[in-house]
Amino acid sequence: MQLRRNRWSRGATIRQRVDEARAAADGDPPAAVSDGERAAVTTALRLGWWMADTYHYTQHQHRVPGGREATAPRKLSNLTEMAPRLRLRMYLDGVDTALREIGAQIRTPAAAPATAAARELADALDRDGSATEAVLLALDALNVEVLRWTMASNYRLGLAYRLGRSLADTARDCGPEQLVWRFGGRHQEICRWLDELASVLPPFAAPVVGRSVQAWATRVRQAHHDPDRQAELTALAGRLREQGALWQDVLTGGLDPRDLLDEANYAAIARNLLSRDRRLVRQATRGVFLPVLVPLLLFLGGIVTIGAVTAAGSPLTRTAIALAGIGAGLAGLWRTVSRPALALAREVNRPLLAIELITEMARCVTRPLRTPAPPADTPEPVRPAQSTPAASPG
């Protein structure tokens, strides 16, 4: 029990230092950013993701075979077994809920967009496929209204909404060709939006996800240009959806990236920080010692030498006086230099600690990317035939 309390205490101390490092690296958030705006930005990001899923499901929805609703199922129906009209209504309910939350959080006088037009067409999805185009048009019109409303209410809300849509479309299941296209340039816009929203997203979320997206773009580009790594490209496409779920959890506050760090991560952070400190000390020594400290030491040595030579007494006495003078001078010099040097080291180490923490957290969040790719000659696993259509993403 005592060991558990000690470990909890150390963890609390580490978390406190992490918070201090983030405050030092990012600075205090602007006074104009309220808690309501932060919550609204997170909700807008989630709404953008939800809207992209709604449109994608409507495009690729699988109609339930006839008579499905009249027959009692062997078990309670899952999300992917819902009738298309019910699934679409669920998505629209989520849109309405998010719009109400945003309106309450930012207290905007403008009326939120309505989903009535899309709801009127939802029932037709079960009857035939000809209604799909009309529903898609209604959803796109709703998307434009939501984008207009969020941008007009608060620029960062509109940005968060667009970020959620873009990430959802980027992290959707796809093949190798689509994977290369998705990370061909879109990731740069995503990273720019993350930088702009960093102050209103959860702690560390924007830089961690930004580095993770950049890591994916680099890996996909390297695999695409290497003919021997096509199997790796296929494996990466299969892991993309898992990575997207992690991005969404981090950006919406469902997962704190600091919770992914373990003792090995903190040990790596300490090693990297010490290595940075050694480089900084060497650079500071070259920049300060020669032009500043060497003249002071020569001046101090001259004064002590003159005092020792002119002092009366035996050689041993004069040597003792010289050593005492050197010691007193060095002690005074240390007191003069050490305090500002240590204060400067603390100020420099705080952002460096934040950088190392972000690097390790990004590595942990990007764990699907670090899963080893299968060898090129590994055969594809044989999957059993299914009598029912495969579930669509979402």
Side-chain angles (χ1 to χ4, degrees), residues 11-311:
T13 302
I14 290 173
R15 177 59 60 84
Q16 182 180 3
R17 292 178 179 175
V18 169
D19 292 336
E20 293 175 355
R22 175 181 180 269
D26 298 339
D28 294 332
V33 179
S34 63
D35 292 338
E37 184 178 358
R38 293 174 185 276
V41 166
T42 303
T43 306
L45 192 150
R46 191 171 62 247
L47 172 61
W49 202 298
W50 190 258
M51 183 68 77
D53 285 346
T54 305
Y55 194 83
H56 181 267
Y57 170 74
T58 306
Q59 276 185 314
H60 305 281
Q61 48 89 13
H62 300 278
R63 275 174 285 281
V64 179
R68 166 66 177 80
E69 296 186 10
T71 304
R74 291 180 298 175
K75 62 179 182 65
L76 295 177
S77 299
N78 203 349
L79 179 65
T80 55
E81 298 169 339
M82 293 174 60
R85 74 174 190 281
L86 299 179
R87 183 84 173 267
L88 179 57
R89 284 180 177 177
M90 180 198 70
Y91 282 121
L92 294 175
D93 289 341
V95 171
D96 283 333
T97 301
L99 291 174
R100 284 196 301 269
E101 290 180 0
I102 294 174
Q105 289 157 352
I106 63 174
R107 300 177 181 178
T108 177
T115 60
R119 289 181 183 277
E120 291 178 358
L121 299 171
D123 289 340
L125 287 179
D126 283 348
R127 292 194 295 268
D128 57 72
S130 60
T132 301
E133 191 70 19
V135 175
L136 290 175
L137 290 173
L139 288 177
D140 186 60
L142 175 61
N143 160 69
V144 172
E145 285 299 307
V146 172
L147 180 59
R148 177 195 59 79
W149 181 72
T150 53
M151 293 292 290
S153 300
N154 187 312
Y155 171 73
R156 282 184 284 207
L157 291 182
L159 209 60
Y161 176 74
R162 295 167 65 190
L163 175 62
R165 287 186 330 182
S166 186
L167 278 173
D169 290 333
T170 301
R172 210 173 300 284
D173 285 341
C174 65
E177 296 80 7
Q178 288 181 313
L179 180 68
V180 174
W181 178 81
R182 290 180 185 180
F183 288 96
R186 179 191 293 179
H187 65 282
Q188 298 176 357
E189 189 76 7
I190 290 175
C191 292
R192 186 178 66 83
W193 290 342
L194 286 169
D195 290 339
E196 293 189 37
L197 296 172
S199 62
V200 289
L201 289 173
F204 293 106
V208 167
V209 174
R211 288 185 179 228
S212 179
V213 171
Q214 290 284 6
W216 267 85
T218 301
R219 184 76 169 272
V220 169
R221 183 174 62 253
Q222 292 173 350
H224 174 60
H225 293 298
D226 189 346
D228 297 331
R229 298 174 62 179
Q230 295 308 304
E232 179 183 356
L233 202 61
T234 303
L236 290 176
R239 302 182 206 131
L240 184 57
R241 191 179 180 190
E242 178 188 355
Q243 182 65 77
L246 286 172
W247 289 340
Q248 184 182 25
D249 288 342
V250 171
L251 290 173
T252 57
L255 174 64
D256 191 329
R258 291 170 291 189
D259 293 336
L260 299 176
L261 299 178
D262 56 16
E263 294 180 0
N265 297 123
Y266 283 112
I269 291 172
R271 288 194 302 270
N272 294 336
L273 199 60
L274 289 175
S275 177
R276 286 177 179 266
D277 286 343
R278 285 195 295 268
R279 289 197 298 269
L280 289 175
V281 169
R282 288 196 297 267
Q283 294 173 0
T285 301
R286 288 194 298 267
V288 176
F289 184 77
L290 292 178
V292 178
L293 294 183
V294 169
L296 287 176
L297 291 174
L298 292 176
F299 179 72
L300 175 62
I303 293 177
V304 171
T305 301
I306 294 173
V309 170
T310 58

